[in-house]
Amino acid sequence: MHHQLEKHYVNRVGWLRAAVLGANDGLLSTTSVVIGVAAAEPDRHIIILAALAGMIAGAMSMAAGEYVSVSSQEDTEKADLLREKRELEEMPEIELRELAKVYEKRGCTKETAMQVAMELTEHDALGAHARDELGINEITQAKPLQAAMASFGSFAVGALLPFSVSLLAPLKQMVYFQYGFSIIFLMFLGAVSARAGGSSIKVAVLRICFWGTVAMGITAFVGHIFGVNVA
């Protein structure tokens, strides 16, 4: 009989975080820009240009920021692994005892902990120390390019909605159309991310809608108060 492997939500944490963050940011930031511009200067050409500029600049910024951030994490991981490899070569007995101590703290007896440490060291010493001493494994390992691509793509997808609305919505009701469609899409994003992550859909939807409303409301207020006519 074949047993199906369990599905673990933590396996998705890397790409899910970047994708959801990118889509939310793309939707919220671009919508907020459009709402602010529409409240200040109700001209379709200006609104479309603002949406397009926000989408392109935001996607590039998200990708670059994510790549730099995750690359820094990757550099730190590589430095830790290099130091661990050197220590395993120079003082293997001390490293073996350190690994055994890790298993003791998790509930193993001293004898069992040492036996496990010895067997894992024989199989893959660096892998055992990376996983159990440093907390680095295939699931949580930094992947800069993957994170950057996910952020770029998801931001662009999120920003496409307010850009499309800026093309099609009635000019006089532009602010209301932008807000309405964005809230609906935010609810969808919140539900999808909660479903994929195994958390409460209701809490995720309420949270994202509340903060989305706050962001767009403040931007609309600023645009209305400081609105200027653009010649």
Side-chain angles (χ1 to χ4, degrees), residues 11 14-15 17-18 66-67 69-71 73-74 77 137-150:
N11 295 344
W15 64 263
R17 182 190 69 84
E66 193 73 17
Y67 185 84
S69 174
V70 180
S71 291
Q73 179 187 340
E74 185 183 41
E77 290 178 355
N137 56 56
E138 292 181 358
I139 296 174
T140 60
Q141 191 173 14
K143 298 181 178 73
L145 188 59
Q146 182 189 70
M149 291 177 64

Side-chain angles (χ1 to χ4, degrees), residues 51-66:
L52 183 61
M55 179 171 63
I56 296 174
M60 293 299 296
S61 176
M62 279 289 294
E66 193 73 17

Side-chain angles (χ1 to χ4, degrees), residues 88 99 103 117-132 138:
L88 283 168
L99 191 60
Y103 302 132
M118 289 175 64
E119 292 184 9
L120 289 178
T121 298
E122 290 177 4
H123 175 69
D124 181 9
L126 184 60
H129 282 269
R131 181 178 59 253
D132 297 322
E138 292 181 358

Side-chain angles (χ1 to χ4, degrees), residues 38-209:
E41 178 62 30
D43 182 281
R44 188 176 299 276
H45 291 91
I46 295 174
I47 292 171
I48 292 173
L49 181 60
L52 183 61
M55 179 171 63
I56 296 174
M60 293 299 296
S61 176
M62 279 289 294
E66 193 73 17
Y67 185 84
V68 170
S69 174
V70 180
S71 291
S72 297
Q73 179 187 340
E74 185 183 41
D75 291 341
T76 302
E77 290 178 355
K78 287 181 178 179
D80 281 340
L81 288 173
L82 187 62
R83 184 176 64 251
E84 198 67 32
K85 182 179 180 180
R86 185 169 58 249
E87 290 175 351
L88 283 168
E89 293 172 353
E90 296 175 354
M91 41 186 180
E93 294 183 1
I94 295 176
E95 288 298 304
L96 179 64
R97 288 196 293 271
E98 284 184 0
L99 191 60
K101 286 290 184 182
V102 172
Y103 302 132
E104 281 187 58
K105 290 179 180 178
R106 294 181 182 176
C108 293
T109 62
K110 190 172 183 179
E111 293 76 14
T112 302
M114 179 57 71
Q115 182 65 29
V116 171
M118 289 175 64
E119 292 184 9
L120 289 178
T121 298
E122 290 177 4
H123 175 69
D124 181 9
L126 184 60
H129 282 269
R131 181 178 59 253
D132 297 322
E133 186 180 345
L134 303 177
I136 301 173
N137 56 56
E138 292 181 358
I139 296 174
T140 60
Q141 191 173 14
K143 298 181 178 73
L145 188 59
Q146 182 189 70
M149 291 177 64
S151 293
F152 181 91
S154 56
F155 187 101
V157 169
L160 274 176
L161 179 71
F163 177 72
S164 301
V165 174
S166 70
L167 293 172
L168 303 172
L171 192 58
K172 292 183 178 180
Q173 288 83 38
M174 180 65 70
V175 172
Y176 304 109
F177 271 81
Q178 288 286 350
Y179 174 76
F181 278 101
S182 293
I183 285 297
I184 292 172
F185 197 59
L186 280 174
M187 292 174 66
F188 173 75
L189 278 177
V192 169
S193 62
R195 178 73 175 175
S199 57
S200 170
I201 293 178
K202 183 178 179 180
V203 172
V205 168
L206 288 174
R207 180 172 57 220
I208 198 170
C209 287

